[in-house]
Amino acid sequence: MEQDLTKSKSKIIWLGDRAKSTWGKRQNIEGRAAQIFLLICALLSIATTVGIVVSLVSQSVGFFKEVSIWEFLTGTRWTPILIPRSYGVLPLVVGTLLVTIISVIVAVPIGMGIAIFLSTYAPEQLRRIIKPVLEILAGIPTVVYGYFAITLVSPMLQKVFTNMLIFNALSAGLVMGLMIIPMVSSLSEDAMMAVPQSLKEGAFALGATRFEVALKVTIPSALSGIITSIILALSRAIGETMIVTIAAGATPKMTFNPIDSIQTMTAFIVQLSLGETPHGSLEYNTIFAVGLLLFLMTLIMNLLSQWVVSRWHRRY
Amino acid sequence: MTFNTLNYSKMYNRRIAMRKGIGDAFYSLFLLSVLVGIIGLITLLVQVLTEGIPWLSWRFITSFPSRHPQEAGIFSALMGTIWLMGLTAVFTVPIGVGAAIYLEEYAPKNWLTRLIELNIANLASVPSIIYGLLGLTIFVGWMALGRSILAGALTLSLLVMPIVILASREAIKALPLTYREAAYALGATRWQVTKSVVVPAALPGILTGVILAMSRAIGEAAPVIAISALVYLTFIPTSPLDRFTVMPIQIFNWISRPQNEFRGLAAAGIIVLLIILLSMNALAIFLRNRYQVRTEV
């Protein structure tokens, strides 16, 4: 319909005087150019994804010529810059998973507790204060969390685990958990608030307590949003870089012991970027191979979360 | 019969008491989670402030980094951050807003539009270090920009683009349809409607999104490390092709040193960074409030 209006407009001008007709043409050309520019802007996002894949794959090819994919994915020793060199990525993957699991154990129960409190118990005025205050946590730069982990959390934990090093998976994971609390709580709360009041009121009318309403009505109805928030928090934790670089250590190790010093995939990439590794060397290419694996892991999580939304999302 | 009723009512009362007890217990747990979050935030801020304030001075802000903690400052990193943010905004704003306008005002409902939308949602959750690797390959390497501010700004623009696009789309979507219909009724073309009605009316919302995107970019260390590596700079960048360092990297550098004095410097640097972030967020909230007042009128 909008297109029709444009057409009839230029026709009217064409029937009118000539000066106005060139004005109308200029408007059409300008509009055309603008539309093409805007389309290019939108297509740039696709170019970004292509750029990510091309840059990671093209640089990893050199790596995978020398190291087989099988050796990379199943090897249990990661010493790419020490002799004897060994390129088994599993210690980095295990380190990443260890920190991620610790952070999720912290963030999911607390984030869910906050979401239930805000959506079911808190009066509107209190909600309006608490929500933005907690979201500050998500806006604090990650180097600040790293600083917090090694200057306060690690020394405090060392009083409990006396043989623990200052750099360890536990304090990095705990602090990362604090950081991702608002991701879980915000998205879950949005989903819980979207559950229609009438459903909750129905349960209240049957004599349910607030907790029973939350447990048996709100959470099941908001489940797709809650699961999405947990998956996104997981994906964020896997890709988080500065906290683990600062606080988790730099010793790739196959261990699920939380008080050990470990290294994650992201921390390895930063460690190698800090040195001026010569372009094109095998060491330089390792960061792209690890980056490619990291990208694929987070991509799977993201697609999974979108699938959950499209498959399970209920509109009321 | 009477005995039975009495028994039932006793069981009933006990059950009610139990259900209420469980409810109260969980209520305290939920309240506790809120407190954990808030106490975590307060502890973090108190730790940074107590360690950092003794090191904070005008000399700290106007001095270059140094091996001697007493003389070290954050000046080159602060200037690097200002350069990087300025250039990032130049790339991000027109392209991000342009993409949002296309998706809201122009895009037909077809597979391409769906692909773009899915893709933007995915880009929003790609880890930032991956963008660093993209920038390292394409901007630093293939486009031969070197480890320059320009390469860093292009990388960060791609990183925060999804935030600008999503926020701008929300702002545009919130406009009443009557605005556009009134303009069309006056005979405006689609581009005239976009340029003279949609963009000005959505501007406060778009600006809020841009500020939020910039406050994300200003705290990013990982992708910038991949681009700039760790450099020891005692000069101020004067062109977009100069090497640079930014505040989060300088802070990271100080944290990584074993001496306690540098930890204090790191805390002082964090305070400066948080003050900048706080002012940016205050500006965003101010704009949002003004905007809300205007649409209600």
Side-chain angles (χ1 to χ4, degrees):
Chain A
M1 191 194 83
E2 288 149 6
Q3 209 62 49
D4 291 345
L5 280 172
T6 324
K7 270 182 197 158
S8 60
K9 156 92 179 158
S10 45
K11 204 183 242 168
I12 292 162
I13 290 168
W14 189 76
L15 290 171
D17 64 59
R18 281 192 82 81
K20 270 192 182 166
S21 145
T22 51
W23 181 84
K25 266 185 199 154
R26 214 192 72 212
Q27 287 304 323
N28 277 342
I29 291 167
E30 193 186 318
R32 225 36 230 160
Q35 186 169 357
I36 291 166
F37 169 75
L38 296 174
L39 177 63
I40 290 171
C41 291
L43 289 177
L44 206 71
S45 72
I46 294 190
T48 307
T49 305
V50 173
I52 289 173
V53 174
V54 167
S55 59
L56 292 178
V57 170
S58 70
Q59 306 283 329
S60 314
V61 164
F63 175 81
F64 286 117
K65 265 182 198 154
E66 309 218 5
V67 181
S68 75
I69 293 182
W70 182 249
E71 186 190 337
F72 176 68
L73 288 179
T74 60
T76 54
R77 243 169 56 82
W78 181 257
T79 49
I81 35 183
L82 298 170
I83 293 171
R85 294 177 203 277
S86 172
Y87 300 96
V89 80
L90 278 182
L92 294 182
V93 175
V94 167
T96 303
L97 290 181
L98 176 60
V99 178
T100 303
I101 290 168
I102 296 171
S103 70
V104 169
I105 289 175
V106 174
V108 168
I110 295 179
M112 288 286 292
I114 292 172
I116 295 173
F117 179 81
L118 292 181
S119 66
T120 318
Y121 293 90
E124 181 59 28
Q125 284 135 321
L126 189 63
R127 203 176 80 91
R128 267 196 212 163
I129 300 169
I130 293 180
K131 212 180 170 191
V133 167
L134 287 172
E135 272 166 10
I136 296 175
L137 282 172
I140 290 177
T142 51
V143 279
V144 182
Y145 283 101
Y147 170 86
F148 185 54
I150 60 161
T151 59
L152 192 74
V153 178
S154 268
M156 273 168 65
L157 289 173
Q158 274 179 323
K159 287 178 187 151
V160 184
F161 309 101
T162 39
N163 59 342
M164 190 177 75
L165 291 170
I166 196 94
F167 304 109
N168 62 79
L170 183 60
S171 36
L174 290 178
V175 169
M176 196 193 286
L178 181 65
M179 182 188 79
I180 59 177
I181 285 173
M183 284 197 69
V184 178
S185 69
S186 265
L187 289 174
S188 298
E189 195 226 330
D190 289 345
M192 290 178 191
M193 292 299 276
V195 175
Q197 198 60 31
S198 58
L199 280 186
K200 299 180 199 169
E201 277 161 5
F204 280 125
L206 291 173
T209 62
R210 282 189 184 219
F211 172 65
E212 287 161 349
V213 173
L215 189 70
K216 292 173 182 163
V217 178
T218 314
I219 294 180
S221 315
L223 203 58
S224 80
I226 293 169
I227 293 175
T228 310
S229 78
I230 295 172
I231 297 175
L232 288 178
L234 265 172
S235 146
R236 179 77 196 271
I238 292 174
E240 192 354 81
T241 307
M242 294 319 290
I243 298 175
V244 285
T245 305
I246 293 170
T251 40
K253 212 181 283 173
M254 289 283 282
T255 176
F256 273 102
N257 180 0
I259 61 169
D260 253 352
S261 173
I262 50 105
Q263 186 169 42
T264 67
M265 301 163 75
T266 51
F268 169 74
I269 296 175
V270 170
Q271 188 200 0
L272 230 70
S273 305
L274 287 175
E276 303 250 347
T277 325
H279 275 229
S281 65
L282 191 59
E283 289 98 318
Y284 179 82
N285 288 337
T286 51
I287 64 177
F288 291 92
V290 174
L292 183 60
L293 183 61
L294 177 67
F295 176 68
L296 291 177
M297 283 167 75
T298 53
L299 183 69
I300 290 170
M301 311 287 303
N302 298 338
L303 292 178
L304 194 64
S305 77
Q306 270 149 20
W307 179 78
V308 168
V309 170
S310 65
R311 175 74 179 75
W312 301 104
H313 187 64
R314 290 194 221 165
R315 284 192 191 283
Y316 295 102
Chain B
M1 184 70 188
T2 6
F3 175 78
N4 261 349
T5 321
L6 199 67
N7 203 10
Y8 276 130
S9 93
K10 226 184 223 166
M11 277 168 65
Y12 173 80
N13 284 338
R14 209 183 302 151
R15 198 168 152 68
I16 287 279
M18 198 183 73
R19 284 170 55 199
K20 283 200 170 141
I22 291 176
D24 289 346
F26 273 93
Y27 173 73
S28 1
L29 279 182
F30 300 147
L31 194 62
L32 190 69
S33 340
V34 176
L35 289 179
V36 168
I38 291 176
I39 290 170
L41 177 65
I42 292 173
T43 319
L44 187 151
L45 293 178
V46 167
Q47 167 76 3
V48 168
L49 288 175
T50 50
E51 298 278 315
I53 283 179
W55 290 91
L56 204 59
S57 65
W58 186 245
R59 193 203 47 73
F60 173 75
I61 293 170
T62 54
S63 303
F64 288 102
S66 158
R67 276 179 294 120
H68 310 289
Q70 301 300 335
E71 294 165 14
I74 203 160
F75 192 52
S76 51
L78 183 62
M79 289 300 142
T81 292
I82 293 172
W83 261 102
L84 190 66
M85 288 306 110
L87 272 182
T88 303
V90 166
F91 297 125
T92 312
V93 174
I95 297 175
V97 176
I101 293 173
Y102 177 79
L103 290 172
E104 285 301 320
E105 301 288 315
Y106 285 85
K109 271 199 190 324
N110 60 15
W111 63 271
L112 183 65
T113 308
R114 270 203 305 280
L115 180 69
I116 293 174
E117 285 177 337
L118 186 72
N119 184 51
I120 291 171
N122 254 321
L123 282 178
S125 38
V126 170
S128 60
I129 185 76
I130 300 288
Y131 284 93
L133 295 180
L134 159 85
L136 185 61
T137 308
I138 294 183
F139 301 132
V140 176
W142 296 349
M143 284 168 67
L145 297 175
R147 296 181 180 278
S148 64
I149 302 176
L150 186 59
L154 287 168
T155 308
L156 280 189
S157 304
L158 296 183
L159 172 67
V160 297
M161 196 77 76
I163 303 176
V164 174
I165 296 177
L166 295 174
S168 305
R169 286 190 70 176
E170 289 304 316
I172 294 172
K173 214 180 276 178
L175 292 181
L177 199 61
T178 47
Y179 281 33
R180 299 182 183 91
E181 282 167 351
Y184 281 127
L186 292 173
T189 64
R190 193 192 293 226
W191 170 238
Q192 286 169 326
V193 171
T194 303
K195 157 178 89 165
S196 326
V197 177
V198 173
V199 172
L203 204 56
I206 292 175
L207 276 178
T208 310
V210 169
I211 294 171
L212 290 181
M214 286 297 129
S215 60
R216 163 87 193 274
I218 208 170
E220 278 293 344
V224 190
I225 287 178
I227 302 293
S228 79
L230 207 53
V231 285
Y232 183 77
L233 280 190
T234 47
F235 66 88
I236 307 289
T238 51
S239 96
L241 290 171
D242 281 349
R243 292 205 65 170
F244 69 107
T245 188
V246 290
M247 295 175 62
I249 295 186
Q250 184 62 58
I251 293 166
F252 168 61
N253 186 351
W254 280 328
I255 293 175
S256 324
R257 303 207 190 180
Q259 302 96 319
N260 264 330
E261 288 87 349
F262 284 109
R263 298 269 164 91
L265 284 173
I270 289 172
I271 294 175
V272 177
L273 186 60
L274 289 183
I275 289 174
I276 297 176
L277 270 172
L278 204 66
S279 342
M280 288 169 78
N281 281 305
L283 186 64
I285 290 168
F286 169 75
L287 283 171
R288 192 187 299 165
N289 288 347
R290 261 191 74 135
Y291 170 64
Q292 275 170 349
V293 170
R294 263 185 40 190
T295 41
E296 275 161 23
V297 167

